[in-house]
């Protein structure tokens, strides 16, 4: 299992980007598996979603974003 330093990842993601669409659960799970296997881009994708997807419209999107937050806490 790969652990990432949140401060290092934060330097790459930044705060200047605008809101993004909430990803699908499949995208989140794929990114998590990649991050756990050591893929830095997958870890950045998860953190990016955590920072920039904040308009959830329904219960499914709420569930997806809860999973994003859970996975981010596991990898950092």
């Amino acid at each position: 299992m790969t652990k990432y330093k949140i401060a290092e990842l934060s330097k790459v993601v930044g705060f200047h980007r605008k809101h993004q669409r909430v990803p699908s659960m499949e995208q989140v799970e794929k990114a998590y598996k990649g991050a756990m296997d050591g893929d830095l881009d997958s870890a950045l994708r998860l953190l990016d979603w955590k920072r920039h997807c904040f308009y959830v419209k329904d219960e499914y999107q709420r569930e997806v974003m809860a999973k994003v937050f859970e996975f981010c806490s596991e990898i950092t």
Side-chain angles (χ1 to χ4, degrees):
M1 179 167 106
T2 303
K3 286 281 191 178
Y4 299 90
K5 293 183 179 180
I6 191 80
E8 293 300 316
L9 294 178
S10 293
K11 290 177 187 176
V12 178
V13 173
F15 289 96
H16 63 280
R17 298 188 54 201
K18 294 186 178 186
H19 171 70
Q20 298 176 20
R21 285 183 18 215
V22 173
S24 70
M25 188 63 82
E26 292 80 21
Q27 290 173 299
V28 172
E29 290 170 350
K30 182 178 177 184
Y32 174 70
K33 288 177 185 172
M36 295 301 285
D37 290 338
D39 180 29
L40 181 60
D41 288 335
S42 294
L44 289 171
R45 193 168 302 115
L46 282 171
L47 187 60
D48 198 37
W49 287 329
K50 180 181 175 184
R51 286 223 177 126
H52 301 289
C53 299
F54 35 76
Y55 296 120
V56 294
K57 297 178 182 175
D58 55 31
E59 192 59 37
Y60 173 74
Q61 289 183 346
R62 188 172 284 108
E63 182 181 329
V64 169
M65 289 310 297
K67 193 59 81 171
V68 168
F69 276 77
E70 177 186 332
F71 287 162
C72 283
S73 68
E74 287 181 25
I75 66 168
T76 58

